[in-house]
Amino acid sequence: MRVPRGGIPGYSPSLDLKTAPPCCCFLLVSPSDPVAGSADVGLGALDWSNFLAGCGGHDAGGAPGVVPFLKAASRSSFLPLVLPLHPGGNPQLCGPVLEEFLPSVPMAELVVTMAIGPLVSMLKDKASSYLLDQYKVMEGMEEQHKILKRKLPAILDVITDVEEQAMAQREGAKAWLQELRTVAYGANEVFDEFKYEALRREAKKNGHYRKLGFDVIKLFPTHNRVAFRYKMGRKLCLILQAVEVLIAEMHAFRFKYRPQPPVSKEWRHTDYVSIDPQEIASRSRDKDKKNIIGKLIGEASNADLTVVPVVAMGGLGKTTLAQLIYNDPEIQKHFQLLLWVCVSDTFDVNSLAKSIVEASPNKNVETDKPPLDRLQKLVSGQRYLLVLDDVWDNKELRKWERLKVCLHGGMGSAVLTTTRDKRVAEIMGADRAAYNLNALDDHFIKKIIEARAFSLDKQKPAELVEIVDEIVKRCSGSPLAATALGSVLRTKTNVEEWKAISSRSSICTDETGILPILKLSYNDLPAHMKQCFAFCAVFPKDYKINVEKLIQLWIANGFIPECKEGSLETFGKHIFDELASRSFFLDIEESEHVSWSISGATYYPITTCKIHDLMHDIAVSVMEKECFAVTMDPSEIEWLGDTARHLFLSCEGTEGILNDSLEKRSPAIQTLICDSYMQSSLKHFSKYSSLHALKLCLVGTESFLMKSMYLHHLRYLDLSESHIKALPEDISILYNLQTLDLSNCHRLCQLPRQMKYMTSLRHLYTHGCPKLKSMPPELGKLTELLTLTCFVAAVTGPDCSDVAELQHLNIGGQLDLRQIENVIEAEATVANVGNKKDLRELTLRWNSVCDSKVLDNFEPHGGLQVLKIYFYGGEYMGMLQDMVEIHLFHCERLQFLFRSSTIFTFPKLKVLMLEHLLGFEGWWKIDERQEEQTIFPVLEKLFISNCGKLIALPEAPLLQGPCGGDGYTLVRSAFPALKVLKMKELESFQRWDAVEETQGEQILFPCLEELSIEKCPKLTALPEAPFLQEPCGEGGYTLVRSAFPALKVLKMENLESFQRWDGVEGTLFPQLEKLSVQKCPKMTDLPQAPKLSVLEVEDGKQKIFHFIDRYLSSLTKLILNLEYTETTSEAECTSIVPVNIKERWNQESPLTVMKLRCCNSFFVLLKPWDYFVHLEDLEIGRCDVLVYWPEKVFQSLVSLRRLVIRNCPNLIGHAQAPLEPLASERSQHLPGLEVLKLKFRASLVEMFNVPTSLKSICIWDCPKLEYIFRKQQGMSELVQGSSCSEEIMPTAVSELSSSPMNHFFPCLESIYLNECGSLQAVLNLPPSLKTMSIARCSSIQVLSCQLGGLQKPEVTSSRSPIMPEPPATATTSAREHLLPPDLESLVIEDCAGMLGGTLRLPAPLKKLTIIGNSGLTSLEYLSGEHPPSLEHLDLESCSTLAFLPNEPQVYSSLWYLEIRGCPAIKKLPKCLHQQLGGIEDNYRKLDARYEVTALKPKTWKEIPRVVRERRQAAREARKRQQSME
């Protein structure tokens, strides 16, 4: 707290303090404290005796007078920051004052503070580092060094007491801690400089200076020892003075000695019951889940968007409930598209739209378009469920309405939103009441607490169980609060401690929520864990945190205490596990990051986690203004203060934000994570000198953007997925660097040659770098290296390392060893690598198959779990029994997996992948045949492809267990635990068992869930199915045949010989949900599968249609593409189907998607289609019996949203149908149709009555079609062929604008026409149209938008261009076209006579393409609400086009420009010419004369270059002209 400007109220140097106002509050400082001089009124001359007397007390001999003053002050709005010291420095005065004053401060809500102890401990360790003495970097400062090392433990002695007082809202303690934190940060930076100097001297001693050459001077400008001693001596003295003041104040406050709890090195196993929120919710939230699912599915026929808000206080399980609903099988089946986005604090419409799109499978489609447009296209026509989790800032209706407009998808679409704010729920779900989530029942809360608090293997003490009931009440039904409290209680062992926790935990209320309990949980953490968790405030809410990277960031910032028993990484992992067990981290997931290159895919396992938003709030409150996360609005960074230390930026223009912010400020940034692409260089390099951790993703540049000389303290550098080709050699001066991530830098060619001097390096990630050809020399000197993900072995030489360099390194985790053919003594070297005890995954790659016996006797250590081998040239492998995963690729000479004298098993193997093993004949070769044994008892996934000699699966022993018992001794299974089996391109495969004599015995796959068989030409059948017991009604059982009782997904493709599902009729797939049969020419039937929901048949026999009805009650998606047989009449079609087919189809179907090709029977026998009332997506292809539009079929399809009809050669449309003059008289067929696509071959003459709900229409190859929206009254007179005069056209258009047909299709947004040669006019284009594409429609003359009562827009251009006299052939083209006012994209291609004269473009137009036109002379923009802004302009072969818009704003957003073959355009408009430099070369395609004019020399020296370029451009132009001729 500072002295107010103008001095202390009511006080002046001559003022008698006895007369001071009783309510006045003073800033109390030591008279000798320099801060006293900072006020406008000095206090140095203050007479303390007079002061105390003025307070009604005594001088230093007693303090009663101060106490009333302090008590009065504590009741006022001010509190003293620092208590007074005696003028002589005697601290005795404050003892009784402190003891009486501090208890009088009213207790407030429990607060959380940053743990300062670890920061001071870190400083103490740095000050005691052996490096400082070894390299004498503190020479001349030894005395100050000794004093500091003595003083720091004194502070640590009282730190626990101070932190407890600060948590109790005692302002003096908080202020002292804040000052200590500032001093500790500064002191740590000073000792970082000392350490770096020691490392620099060590590197110099080892010869690094000689390697760097003259660069040493600029890299180490202060390397002179005298200069260094002078600079650092001053800094150390300042630190020592600050510490002296802190210790004096520490004594004045009489902080008490409290021993710090030791950092535990013995980590107990987390034996608590892992409470899965899904499991709790499945029991406690089952009713809520069913209610909400009912609401969502019950709106299937609702055309409007359904919004269901779920409201509850934080920590009550809203997100968990939403996850349960999202993952429910019924929801997964009902919705075509599921999207999940966490909104959190800021409801920014554009950013949110972008997040929704990026959560979809189409996240990389049309990335150049605005987010809202992409969102609208994504959901259009699809029934989707969007979960908007944790919505806060959405109290403005306009924001929600703006987003909601773009969320209009298919019928039955829904948005499920979770929020704590009832007002938000009211706005988003305006048409329905919010779903209020109630608290969990107490017995569930009690289960959570007990499971967290008590160990599994110990009895629950009765006296502690009694206290649980009281604690349950304090949780108020919150599972998160129960988990947090249970985790706290787990560390307490007696009744007193449990009661203390119970008394300290406040009851959750609507006002406070569960924050008090979460704060209690945080405050109960050990100090080093507090620091580690608080750092996570740097990440945005709901951010997926890479756990391995998080631990490395903790280490880089010094948060992990040094320990002799294990590595820092192991200690960090224990800290993470402990925090996760206390629910500080949630949603812990293991996955694989995939990187593709020429050599194939590289998989790297990653573990991610998230933080509950309430826990995130705790972390943010602790870090205050030290952590900043900027994700959307760049303006947020403007309040970046000098206290900032950890920054996370994930937004566009990151480099600009940093450059602007650091121009005026100089924060000591320790962590900088840029999670978005960076293209340009950073500035103010010297202001990054305190960085400990840096993540950049550099694109558009091939070099490192930072200066190594300013990064001396850097411990963590992540450049993954950057476009860099190489790192600068001077990066080797980063002697502190511990982590270097270069993964997935696809252009990286080499590493710095002097990396051997980076002796602190612990983790080097080089996987996903296909162009990396070697490793830097003497890599073995990096003795601290723990992670090396990829080692590329080059031909041994002085500039690279051999694999032998790894011999003495303790490499762990994952290692990809490449180019093994270059390794000397490869067998011994590989064996050494395989025996590294911490290695979990090893990949061995040869560049090509060559003679090798490297792996014949390869026996890796037991801890190695995953082995991947590429291009090995041996005939068999070593003993790999302990592997969990084995992947073999392109080992073309391999004949057997292993060769042994006795049989053995793979007891741990779960994944086996065999790919492109051309010589693979059998599974093993055993010298002596012994008793049957299951070789793969736990194998879950088996992938086999391109193994041309493999005939059968391995021998199947008799199955032991319930399926094999009770007399079914002939049931065999080689894979009793197998869940996924995929076989592809096995030319010889024909048997399911390796032993031929067992063919009469049944083979069983008891656990198989997914089976895929592709291109196995000799396979004729599935294995013979054994009898199995299936439960039936009333508790009985029935015998059924099934070799695959658990199978859910079956795919069969290109099986030339496959004829039958089993040798016996009645084979059953009881659990099958998805069946795909493609190109199996001998298959004529389908199996029994009562639960089948998806059926896909490609090139199937016509007879297969007879079996479709057996799935009618369960199918939701049907794709039926049968072989083509010419059918000219319904009688022919009827003759090939059973008589009772109609009776078998007489039931309602849940089908929502149906795609039919060559399925005439559907339109002959199934009339009407009343059973398809739920159908939303229908595609019809190659249907010969369709002659007229199937209006009776259309009449039944009330839910249809998308209709595609293609290549129906006999379909002509309506024949002699009467005209329907008014829209009100139109039939209501397909009332919800939104997308219509038609493609025919010369047959279609007339359209059906298209419904008004249509949003998109596409018509291809219909040369006889004259009208799009069916022939309507008054339209035929509008265009009378090519003889229509210019004078008639405007009249006709104006008459039509008042017609009742106006706005006939109010929802239409896009229209695509291609090769419709008979279309003479496009009429009734609604104002809603946004996209229009017309190609090769040679007869179209007029584009007309019916604007109704709208005023005709004015032209923006002020000029009146002199129009050239059009040629005689083009007189009919000079007509006025009225384009829709909101049109955004217009493409006209090869419609030579359509456009004439001036084409006036609406202001919203962003894309314009005109190709092959001979009548257009100029382009102009119409005025609009917003200025025009083209993004894509393509003009080709427009022979008469001479003028382009000349307004600067038209081209301000242009990123694609193509102008070619337009001779009338002599030069580009000036404003367009100025934009050429901002368009990338790949997106700028201009005739030579336009390109040349863009290259004006800035100086006379550039003239020769420009001349050369112009000449080259002219030559290229001549060549193009000659080629065209």
Side-chain angles (χ1 to χ4, degrees), residues 124 127-128 133 144-154:
K124 182 171 74 74
S128 304
D133 296 328
Q144 293 94 326
H145 187 197
K146 290 179 182 178
I147 294 173
L148 188 62
K149 287 197 291 184
R150 289 198 306 270
K151 299 281 186 181
L152 290 176

Side-chain angles (χ1 to χ4, degrees), residues 1200 1230-1235 1250-1256 1305-1308:
L1200 198 69
L1230 309 178
L1233 189 67
E1234 295 179 351
V1235 179
V1250 180
T1252 59
S1253 57
L1254 199 67
K1255 289 184 175 181
S1256 175
F1305 297 95
C1307 301
L1308 192 66

Side-chain angles (χ1 to χ4, degrees), residues 1358-1417:
S1358 58
R1359 66 175 175 83
S1360 177
I1362 301 175
M1363 307 300 292
E1365 186 67 27
T1369 58
T1371 54
T1372 59
S1373 299
R1375 301 193 173 96
E1376 183 174 359
H1377 301 271
L1378 297 179
L1379 299 178
D1382 294 325
L1383 194 67
E1384 296 179 357
S1385 175
L1386 173 62
V1387 177
I1388 300 175
E1389 185 175 349
D1390 294 333
C1391 300
M1394 184 174 72
L1395 300 176
T1398 299
L1399 180 63
R1400 295 183 172 89
L1401 309 174
L1405 194 71
K1406 296 187 182 333
K1407 177 180 179 180
L1408 175 63
T1409 298
I1410 303 176
I1411 301 175
N1413 181 270
S1414 58
L1416 183 66
T1417 59

Side-chain angles (χ1 to χ4, degrees), residues 487-499:
S487 300
V488 173
L489 293 171
R490 182 161 49 96
T491 63
K492 315 303 177 187
T493 57
N494 55 54
V495 174
E496 289 72 20
E497 290 178 316
W498 276 53
K499 287 183 177 180

Side-chain angles (χ1 to χ4, degrees), residues 414-445:
V415 174
L416 176 65
T417 179
T418 67
T419 181
R420 305 180 212 170
D421 195 319
K422 292 182 179 180
R423 175 61 180 153
V424 170
E426 291 171 359
I427 288 175
M428 298 187 70
D431 56 342
R432 64 176 65 244
Y435 190 92
N436 292 297
L437 190 63
N438 296 322
L440 273 186
D441 292 341
D442 283 353
H443 70 280
F444 286 114
I445 298 297

Side-chain angles (χ1 to χ4, degrees), residues 504-557:
R504 287 165 55 196
S505 55
S506 303
I507 296 179
C508 299
T509 65
D510 291 338
E511 291 75 21
T512 65
I514 67 169
L515 277 178
I517 287 179
L518 299 185
K519 290 177 180 179
L520 175 65
S521 179
Y522 172 82
N523 286 332
D524 188 66
L525 290 173
H528 59 282
M529 289 189 187
K530 289 182 182 179
Q531 192 174 31
C532 289
F533 176 72
F535 170 79
C536 296
V538 72
F539 300 107
K541 284 188 177 180
D542 203 53
Y543 183 77
K544 271 194 174 184
I545 304 172
N546 185 319
V547 174
E548 184 178 19
K549 299 297 185 188
L550 175 64
I551 294 172
Q552 290 167 3
L553 288 170
W554 285 345
I555 295 172
N557 282 287

Side-chain angles (χ1 to χ4, degrees), residues 1205 1236-1240 1244 1247 1250 1256-1263 1265 1267-1269 1311-1316 1319 1333 1335 1337:
I1205 304 178
L1236 175 63
K1237 297 183 179 181
L1238 306 174
K1239 183 176 183 179
F1240 296 94
L1244 188 65
M1247 291 286 292
V1250 180
S1256 175
I1257 183 168
C1258 307
I1259 304 177
W1260 291 278
D1261 198 10
C1262 297
L1265 186 66
Y1267 302 96
I1268 298 177
F1269 302 121
I1311 182 168
Y1312 301 86
L1313 305 175
N1314 194 336
E1315 298 188 14
C1316 299
L1319 282 178
S1333 176
C1337 298

